[in-house]
Amino acid sequence: MATKEPDGGLEFHPMDQFAVTPLFGDAPVTWSTWYIPTNATLWLFISVVVIFGFMMLATARRTIVPSRSQSIAELVYGFVYKMVEDVAGKDGLRYFPYIMTLFLFILSANFLGLIPTSFTTTSHIAVTAVLGFGVFFAVTILGFVKNGASFLGLFWVSAAPLPLRPILAIIELISYMVRPVSHSIRLAGNMMAGHAVLKVFAGFAQVTAIAPFAILGVMAVYGLEVLVSAIQAYVFTILTCVYLKDALHPHH
């Protein structure tokens, strides 16, 4: 968090929390040793276990009068279902399981990253890029499968004057190709920035003179991070629904 310098000052290392380290041994993690279990793979696995564990336990004994866990599970299910239906339409409900899985995974990974000494997997672009590009390729392939060549009509702005349409088509194409990049960087950037600020405030808490203010700062930033964790899961999911709508209805 913070270490003492020879001159008595403090040296902060807020980015050390994002380092990927092996679970066993001290060998550095490189592209040639991708198969070594790391703290990242451990917390990815924990995220999956938490989702399966909670949803299975919450719905194992369903009753007309739901328990607290069943109420939470039904609330999340209804929230995502309504989101898909409102944004992508009735046709989009066929892909609800995929979108529900994305939402639950990102939400659980974000919240698990708030546990002290844990690892925030969604702060790494390697994780969010897989999610973002996965959505991009899925909706693009779906768009061509459902609509054929007419899917390209997504880039042709028929409402614009004819001389401007080719220029707008290029702009729309570039905007479409940038989608997975912005989709993944938005999530990783927000999670990394918030956790780095949290570490900085925690480091200042070791300074006696400003410790009370630093502790208040930690509490405020932590509360904000809880909100950001939920919002970023929602933003990623609703953008996925928007991209799905474009694939199903490119002319709308």
Side-chain angles (χ1 to χ4, degrees):
M1 184 181 298
T3 57
K4 291 285 185 178
E5 289 185 329
D7 59 359
L10 285 176
E11 181 181 358
F12 295 99
H13 303 280
M15 304 305 290
D16 286 354
Q17 61 180 309
F18 306 114
V20 178
T21 57
L23 293 178
F24 311 104
D26 300 322
V29 179
T30 64
W31 286 109
S32 61
T33 57
W34 59 269
Y35 51 86
I36 294 179
T38 64
N39 53 348
T41 55
L42 172 63
W43 285 95
L44 285 170
F45 177 74
I46 292 175
S47 298
V48 175
V49 171
V50 167
I51 295 171
F52 271 96
F54 175 75
M55 296 303 289
M56 291 180 66
L57 290 176
T59 59
R61 298 180 178 179
R62 295 184 296 275
T63 59
I64 297 177
V65 179
S67 61
R68 291 182 180 178
S69 58
Q70 182 182 338
S71 296
I72 295 174
E74 291 178 353
L75 181 65
V76 174
Y77 183 97
F79 174 75
V80 179
Y81 187 95
K82 183 67 173 174
M83 185 195 311
V84 176
E85 185 178 30
D86 289 346
V87 178
K90 295 287 187 181
D91 295 342
L93 293 177
R94 294 183 56 186
Y95 312 97
F96 166 77
Y98 174 61
I99 297 174
M100 179 71 172
T101 301
L102 278 176
F103 178 78
L104 288 177
F105 173 77
I106 295 173
L107 188 67
S108 65
N110 288 353
F111 282 154
L112 286 172
L114 294 173
I115 300 174
T117 72
S118 66
F119 185 83
T120 311
T121 53
T122 46
S123 66
H124 277 254
I125 192 66
V127 174
T128 59
V130 170
L131 300 175
F133 277 91
V135 171
F136 174 76
F137 288 121
V139 298
T140 302
I141 294 171
L142 178 65
F144 280 108
V145 171
K146 288 287 186 180
N147 304 282
S150 63
F151 176 65
L152 297 175
L154 180 66
F155 311 110
W156 190 254
V157 185
S158 56
L162 185 60
L164 293 178
R165 293 180 191 176
I167 300 175
L168 292 177
I170 295 174
I171 295 174
E172 289 291 328
L173 180 60
I174 293 174
S175 175
Y176 186 86
M177 299 302 293
V178 171
R179 278 182 176 182
V181 179
S182 62
H183 207 187
S184 55
I185 290 179
R186 181 185 295 106
L187 174 58
N190 278 281
M191 299 310 299
M192 178 178 290
H195 282 63
V197 172
L198 192 61
K199 280 289 187 183
V200 170
F201 274 101
F204 277 117
Q206 301 179 45
V207 182
T208 306
I210 60 173
F213 302 102
I215 293 173
L216 289 175
V218 169
M219 295 172 60
V221 175
Y222 191 90
L224 180 62
E225 277 300 283
V226 172
L227 183 61
V228 169
S229 296
I231 290 175
Q232 287 305 310
Y234 169 76
V235 170
F236 194 99
T237 308
I238 199 168
L239 284 176
T240 301
C241 294
V242 172
Y243 301 157
L244 177 62
K245 178 183 74 70
D246 290 342
L248 295 174
H249 310 287
H251 302 293
H252 289 192

